[in-house]
Amino acid sequence: MYRDFASIKMRPAGITMTMIALGVRTARESVLVSAVSMMVALLFLLVLSPLLSWAGEGMDASMEGEGSVSLPASLNDGSGKYSVVRAGATGTVKTQYVTVRLSARRDMYSWFNRHSLPFGNGSKVPWEALNRLGLSLRHSGELGGDWGYFASASASASYEKQIDGSLGLSASAGTVWKPSQEWTVRLGAGVVWHKIRSYPIPVAGISYRSQALKGFEAELGFPYSHVGYRVNEWLGVRLTGEMDYGLYRLASDSAVRRDGYVEFSGYSTGLWAELTPLEAMTLRLGCAWDFQGNVTLYRENGEGKKQYSRAGTPRLGATMRYDF
């Protein structure tokens, strides 16, 4: 599931044929995006249904499917580029005591001028797709007065083909201060562990929900921030900013790093329209700009680090959420 146009002479007719081929393949990948999301959603519901019957009104659940397409981004300012089609689904169960989230995601890569890429052997694609499975738990409560607390833990497997050696764990905790109905302040810390890399992370955020300007809300924090305004019950707009990070285990036969790892890091900002055609359904459509980021390669033992720059690129995305 890849493309390489290095051998095409870029004449007007060649460009036209290239765009047609790209459109056909993108349409095919879009079908796969929908199929993957639907299968994960159905599997989650089959597992969730008995729990919902048992818990009754004490449990809330939601399903969310996402899809996005990013345009080709160059590596190290060269002619070698890649684009990504992303498909994912997330199921969430919320009880009085804990919120459980199960997610699955697949990123499908298309490579351009692969003979000019700064890594790989120039003939075989570096990787066709990268996968991620995740499970997280979150608990929050009150300490008394204006104070509360939160704690979370998560586990994920991020890999190309083989899942062994792909485990990542994280945990965080902190306090919540709510001085008024409009303001909420969160402050804490956490740690991320992986076989080849571990590091501490800050957890900080300030949220504001206006009582005077109905429908306005904002959150400034790490790794996610947003400003939103609800125009009416059908339409809302949201400006977001977030950090994008991933560390994946490469295949045993990888042309880049056998049994090695690839790490992505960067920031993005997006403008989204939020539509509510049904009371329980929310659609988010819009575009984002992925700022310049990094692609870093490691050997199996975490050594031999090599980092490459990735140019900024636009991204189109859509998300559908349904609350049960």
Side-chain angles (χ1 to χ4, degrees), residues 23-321:
V24 171
R25 290 174 183 258
T26 301
R28 188 182 306 154
E29 289 172 345
S30 297
V31 174
L32 181 58
V33 165
S34 302
V36 171
S37 301
M38 186 60 68
M39 285 189 293
V40 173
L42 290 175
L43 178 61
F44 182 80
L45 288 177
L46 287 175
V47 175
L48 181 64
S49 295
L51 295 176
L52 288 176
S53 299
W54 172 74
E57 297 181 357
M59 180 183 293
D60 295 323
S62 66
M63 277 300 309
E64 183 175 288
E66 67 165 323
S68 66
V69 179
S70 65
L71 297 185
S74 64
L75 291 165
N76 276 3
D77 296 323
S79 59
K81 302 179 180 182
Y82 72 85
S83 64
V84 184
V85 174
R86 171 172 292 180
T90 301
T92 303
V93 176
K94 185 176 182 180
T95 69
Q96 182 180 356
Y97 303 102
V98 66
T99 299
V100 182
R101 181 172 287 112
L102 176 66
S103 62
R105 193 178 76 192
R106 182 174 176 85
D107 292 349
M108 295 159 282
Y109 285 75
S110 300
W111 299 92
F112 303 81
N113 297 327
R114 62 187 182 214
H115 64 281
S116 299
L117 294 171
F119 50 76
N121 57 20
S123 58
K124 185 179 179 181
V125 296
W127 51 82
E128 297 182 7
L130 298 175
N131 309 283
R132 186 182 188 279
L133 302 174
L135 174 65
S136 67
L137 304 174
R138 181 179 177 86
H139 170 70
S140 61
E142 297 181 357
L143 293 174
D146 300 331
W147 294 89
Y149 68 92
F150 67 88
S152 66
S154 66
S156 64
S158 303
Y159 60 96
E160 181 184 358
K161 294 180 181 178
Q162 292 82 16
I163 199 169
D164 56 298
S166 68
L167 178 65
L169 301 173
S170 68
S172 64
T175 58
V176 180
W177 178 44
K178 194 168 183 179
S180 69
Q181 293 295 321
E182 294 184 329
W183 293 93
T184 302
V185 180
R186 295 178 178 84
L187 186 63
V191 62
V192 175
W193 175 90
H194 194 278
K195 175 183 176 181
I196 66 167
R197 189 180 179 197
S198 300
Y199 50 90
I201 55 172
V203 180
I206 300 177
S207 302
Y208 174 75
R209 185 181 295 271
S210 176
Q211 299 294 313
L213 182 59
K214 186 177 180 180
F216 178 80
E217 61 174 317
E219 178 180 355
L220 177 63
F222 179 85
Y224 174 82
S225 299
H226 81 270
V227 175
Y229 179 69
R230 197 73 191 173
V231 179
N232 52 46
E233 60 179 319
W234 307 100
L235 175 65
V237 292
R238 186 179 295 260
L239 177 65
T240 62
E242 60 186 315
M243 179 182 180
D244 187 20
Y245 177 83
L247 180 60
Y248 296 83
R249 194 264 207 203
L250 295 174
S252 299
D253 60 351
S254 172
V256 179
R257 287 285 190 279
R258 292 188 177 183
D259 294 318
Y261 296 85
V262 59
E263 179 184 53
F264 301 91
S265 59
Y267 296 89
S268 67
T269 183
L271 181 61
W272 313 93
E274 295 185 338
L275 309 175
T276 311
L278 301 174
E279 183 178 357
M281 179 184 292
T282 301
L283 300 175
R284 179 183 293 181
L285 307 171
C287 58
W289 178 262
D290 297 327
F291 294 99
Q292 180 176 337
N294 295 312
V295 178
T296 307
L297 298 174
Y298 299 89
R299 295 197 188 107
E300 182 181 5
N301 58 5
E303 299 179 354
K305 176 181 177 180
K306 290 189 176 182
Q307 189 173 84
Y308 309 92
S309 64
R310 173 193 54 78
T313 186
R315 170 167 46 91
L316 301 177
T319 301
M320 183 183 75
R321 174 188 171 114

